[in-house]
Amino acid sequence: MLDISRRIAVISALVEEDTAQSLTYAALECRLTLEYLCYERFKLWHSYLSSDDLKNWQPKHVVKQISEDIDENIIRGFTVSISSHSSVDKQLKTKEYYESLDYIPLGHQSELNLNKMHSLWHGLANVALHIPVPAISWGELEIYGNKENIRNKVETTVEYLSGLRGNLFMSGVIGEVYSFKCFICDTSIKKPVKYLMSSPTLVNCINPKCNESYLIELDGKEQEFKITRRTIKFSCIGCNGDLDVPGNVFRELKLDQQLDLRCPSCNASSTVIMRPHMKKNKD
């Protein structure tokens, strides 16, 4: 878990130097700290969401997607406590009974204000980490931004970081979880059931070395989840057998780029070339 106090100390030391260079480095340290705070939470939930599932790489959107697709507790602030009352009575108690007990706090997860963090993250870059494209009326270009603007943004970021007082993370889903093994690499893929109920869901294998992806949809009649491997089929030029290529393989291919295939049955070699294809639409 990131030691925020140490990060603040590093940033504050750079601010005290009070040079254009040190303030610029302080802004960079602030931005890296904000990124770390988001990505460390994503890392804890990586077993539920592959990097290939991410719709946007920016820190705010990574955490926001987990909150919306996996569990909203990733951004919430809360305290975990345990009762000091020891009881062997296993009979079901009422809510009021449990609320009346004395509790010992175990730890606290800090709330992440994603909009605030995103504003700071962008603002730091705007004042310190980019050289603006010059207008025709500009004089000499400057490597560093305005010192006062940088200092104000850094101090605002430090103020936000100082309010994060957590010492634990929650990384498990509350509720029913559906899981299955990747058909190819046998890696466990998990998703909260409540997010799979409404519509077909595309999931990628969380193994970074695996290209497999699947479509999960609820069978209304059987009330069971149906898993379909996403592949593109080709016919082997040697034995006419099926060649199933993971759909994700073609995501990175460019125009005229080639993909070599080898049939596992007859060992015949063939090549797929990425080129546009036209078909006639039905009237």
Side-chain angles (χ1 to χ4, degrees), residues 2 4 7-15 22-38 59 117 120-125 127-129 150-162 164:
L2 184 64
I4 296 178
R7 298 299 303 155
I8 291 176
V10 170
I11 296 165
S12 298
L14 290 168
V15 172
S22 68
L23 288 169
T24 300
Y25 296 149
L28 176 59
E29 293 288 355
C30 284
R31 204 166 192 257
L32 292 174
T33 301
L34 293 171
E35 291 179 355
Y36 194 105
L37 289 172
C38 290
M117 295 177 72
L120 292 171
W121 184 77
H122 263 303
L124 289 162
V127 299
L129 305 180
I150 299 174
R151 183 185 297 106
N152 289 339
K153 188 62 66 174
V154 168
E155 289 176 349
T156 302
T157 304
V158 169
E159 182 181 359
Y160 173 77
L161 295 175
S162 299
L164 300 178

Side-chain angles (χ1 to χ4, degrees), residues 1 22 38 51 72 94 98 110 135 181 204 222:
M1 187 174 188
S22 68
C38 290
S51 299
E72 62 275 10
T94 64
Y98 287 108
S110 294
K181 297 287 189 179
N204 291 280
E222 301 294 333

